[in-house]
Amino acid sequence: QVQLVESGGGSVQPGGSLRLSCVSSVNTYNRGCMGWFRQAPGKGREGVAGICSDGSTSYVDSVKGRFTISQDNAKNTLYLQMSSLKPEDTATYYCAARDGYADSRSRLIPQIYNAWGQGTQVTVSS
C-alpha cells in the first residue's frame, strides 16, 4: 500500500506563492500517474494537476499559468508550485497516485486514483 504524505500548506496573501510537497513511500519512477486535488468546504474534490510516467502534465483551466506540477523521482516526491494565488484557491490539497497511464483529461478525475495523502490546508486571504 502506497503511503503519501503532503506538506507545505499554509496561509498566504493573494498574489503570494506556496510549494506543496508529497512524499511517496514507494519509488515514483515510472509510476502510472500522480496528481494534486483540492476540496473546499461544502464542495466536491477537484482535480488541479496531474503528471504521468511519460512526463506529460495536465491542469484544470483555473490554475493554468499559475501552478506547476513536477516530480523528483530520486526523492520520491511530487510537487505543486503555486503562484499568483487567489482566495478561490483556498482548500485542502491532496496528492494521489495510481498505477497505469491516464490520458490528459482522465488524470484529473479523483475516482481513478487508489492512493491518497491526508491533505494539507492552503488558505489565501488578505
Side-chain angles (χ1 to χ4, degrees):
Q1 182 73 15
V2 178
Q3 303 293 324
L4 303 172
V5 180
E6 302 99 332
S7 62
S11 295
V12 64
Q13 292 186 340
S17 299
L18 283 173
R19 188 177 78 159
L20 305 183
S21 299
C22 171
V23 179
S24 170
S25 62
V26 300
N27 199 312
T28 55
Y29 179 74
N30 210 31
R31 188 169 189 88
C33 297
M34 297 188 74
W36 287 100
F37 297 80
R38 65 186 179 188
Q39 188 165 15
K43 295 188 176 182
R45 193 163 294 190
E46 174 189 40
V48 175
I51 185 168
C52 292
S53 55
D54 63 354
S56 60
T57 59
S58 301
Y59 299 90
V60 67
D61 286 347
S62 60
V63 308
K64 285 181 180 177
R66 301 190 297 122
F67 291 11
T68 302
I69 188 171
S70 63
Q71 59 186 49
D72 184 335
N73 292 322
K75 297 181 179 179
N76 293 343
T77 303
L78 179 73
Y79 300 102
L80 185 68
Q81 178 67 49
M82 306 185 294
S83 60
S84 303
L85 283 162
K86 304 176 181 180
E88 51 264 42
D89 295 318
T90 295
T92 300
Y93 283 71
Y94 301 87
C95 72
R98 61 167 274 119
D99 291 316
Y101 186 81
D103 64 34
S104 59
R105 184 175 179 180
S106 297
R107 67 186 64 157
L108 297 181
I109 299 174
Q111 286 80 3
I112 72 167
Y113 288 82
N114 53 19
W116 290 87
Q118 83 290 348
T120 185
Q121 178 66 37
V122 172
T123 302
V124 184
S125 173
S126 56

